[in-house]
Amino acid sequence: MTDLSGKVALVTGSARGIGRAIALRYAQCGAGVVVNYARSEEAALKTVADIEAVGARAIAIHADVVDLDALENLFQKSIEAFGQLDIVVANAGVEIVDQPISEVTEEQFDRLFAINAKATFFTLQKAARYVADHGRIINVGSSTTALANPGVGLYGSSKMAARYTVEVLAQEVGKRGVTVNSIIPTAIEGAGVFTQLPEDHPMRAMFSAMRPLEGRFGTPDDVADAAEYFAGPLAHWISGQHLLVSGGAPA
């Protein structure tokens, strides 16, 4: 595994799903981890306990990243606890699928753009301010930004903003040796609304059939593999890029 001993990682939205898998992976690699949560305190504390069980240090910090004061407090508390931040993963997000653009409501639009666009933008901004030189900034995006599909117009649009932010930010912080990249996961089993669809839903069957590799949904560990790579020394010359984790499918 990648040696992240002496590093500190902050992963937003890491009580469950993809964020939890990334937090656990960094701990297994030797990093200290800040587990962030907005609502799931019990799940966050379980993640902390699981991290401590592998011998790494972890704390849970409550912060709704949509609230910019809370977001600033999250970064400040992380540095107070660990003295540094070397890896920041902007993972917190929300999904709506199987929703035609013609049926999207203003409430749905405001909710998704508040979390996926605004909150992610400012998470990346604060990461740029607080991450150590030669640090790593990673955004968890969505494969809906790689290929247009019916029913995901609002969700994909809300995730597209961060994709561009990553490319610009990589240029702005590169002189400090900081890399900025995106992981673009496909539908992930146990994470997000794709896998909450009924077993017989045609969208679920479609996404599985699209995967040349094993014909299955992705897993949180598939995404954690990419997060481990971007956090480690092998990715020191890669920045402003988007890694599609899709089992060989276009999205």
Side-chain angles (χ1 to χ4, degrees):
M1 300 185 76
T2 303
D3 185 4
L4 298 179
S5 300
K7 305 293 185 182
V8 178
L10 162 61
V11 185
T12 66
S14 47
R16 305 177 186 275
I18 289 172
R20 169 183 161 85
I22 293 173
L24 285 169
R25 180 65 60 84
Y26 287 160
Q28 291 163 351
C29 292
V33 182
V34 178
V35 176
N36 161 247
Y37 69 99
R39 288 171 296 278
S40 306
E41 181 180 19
E42 183 177 353
L45 294 177
K46 174 67 165 57
T47 300
V48 168
D50 290 344
I51 288 171
E52 292 174 339
V54 302
R57 184 182 173 198
I59 60 171
I61 299 179
H62 173 264
D64 184 341
V65 294
V66 174
D67 180 337
L68 297 190
D69 289 337
L71 181 63
E72 174 68 19
N73 189 53
L74 169 63
F75 277 82
Q76 292 286 351
K77 282 187 173 180
S78 298
I79 291 173
E80 287 173 10
F82 286 96
Q84 67 193 67
L85 278 176
D86 304 284
I87 304 159
V88 177
V89 181
N91 168 72
V94 64
E95 297 169 281
I96 293 177
V97 301
D98 201 21
Q99 175 79 314
I101 288 175
S102 60
E103 298 177 8
V104 170
T105 67
E106 182 180 15
E107 180 183 4
Q108 290 173 328
F109 181 97
D110 289 346
R111 177 171 177 257
L112 262 69
F113 271 79
I115 299 173
N116 296 342
K118 179 182 175 180
T120 301
F121 178 92
F122 283 102
T123 299
L124 295 173
Q125 179 198 73
K126 293 184 187 299
R129 291 177 178 175
Y130 290 111
V131 77
D133 289 352
H134 305 288
R136 302 286 187 264
I137 301 173
I138 302 164
N139 175 59
V140 178
S142 166
S143 63
T144 59
T145 63
L147 183 69
N149 273 304
V152 293
L154 174 60
Y155 175 52
S157 296
S158 70
K159 297 292 278 188
M160 188 66 82
R163 188 170 174 136
Y164 185 73
T165 304
V166 162
E167 296 176 16
V168 175
L169 189 58
Q171 298 183 43
E172 294 179 349
V173 300
K175 59 183 176 293
R176 293 173 45 214
V178 175
T179 66
V180 189
N181 293 290
S182 287
I183 303 169
I184 309 295
T186 185
I188 300 299
E189 196 70 67
V193 296
F194 285 106
T195 56
Q196 295 169 11
L197 296 171
E199 288 292 334
D200 60 351
H201 195 286
M203 184 175 283
R204 187 178 176 92
M206 178 189 73
F207 272 94
S208 295
M210 287 171 62
R211 318 289 149 206
L213 290 175
E214 304 176 12
R216 62 170 175 84
F217 276 60
T219 69
D221 279 339
D222 292 330
V223 185
D225 289 342
E228 178 182 343
Y229 169 68
F230 276 139
L234 292 179
H236 74 283
W237 195 239
I238 298 172
S239 195
Q241 303 303 308
H242 313 287
L243 178 57
L244 183 63
V245 180
S246 66

